[in-house]
């Protein structure tokens, strides 16, 4: 007896993030030289970076602006 074939709805393709390539849009937190979290606006990226910096003051945290390709160090 044949088993019924189950159809699975196609899922939306996931946005693949690569740690070795900078993003093309948005803002990213860079922790000790490694790309971490991606954000749509600079305020959210800075808030996340400052929260990390408050917990772990020894980290070097930068905000990367993908549109202008500029890194800004959080102090």
């Amino acid at each position: 007896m044949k088993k019924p074939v189950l159809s699975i709805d196609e899922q939306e393709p996931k946005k693949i993030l690569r740690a070795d390539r900078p993003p093309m849009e948005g803002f990213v937190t860079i922790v000790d030289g490694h790309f971490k979290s991606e954000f749509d606006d600079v305020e959210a990226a800075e808030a996340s970076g400052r929260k990390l910096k408050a917990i772990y003051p020894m980290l070097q945290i930068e905000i990367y602006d993908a549109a202008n390709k500029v890194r800004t160090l959080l102090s």
Side-chain angles (χ1 to χ4, degrees):
M1 185 168 179
K2 291 185 177 180
K3 291 184 180 180
V5 178
L6 299 175
S7 65
I8 300 174
D9 294 331
E10 283 191 39
Q11 295 179 354
E12 191 174 311
K14 292 183 178 181
K15 184 177 179 183
I16 298 173
L17 299 175
R18 296 211 28 191
D20 60 339
R21 292 188 186 160
M24 303 309 280
E25 59 186 29
F27 298 88
V28 180
T29 54
I30 302 174
V31 179
D32 288 339
H34 299 277
F35 291 105
K36 295 296 180 181
S37 302
E38 192 170 335
F39 300 92
D40 292 330
D41 58 7
V42 69
E43 290 84 15
E46 285 181 356
S48 174
R50 291 190 195 289
K51 188 183 295 185
L52 276 173
K53 191 74 166 173
I55 298 169
Y56 305 103
M58 72 295 263
L59 293 178
Q60 178 183 359
I61 299 177
E62 299 173 307
I63 305 299
Y64 178 71
D65 180 358
N68 298 322
K69 298 181 180 175
V70 175
R71 293 180 182 209
T72 306
L73 182 65
L74 283 181
S75 52

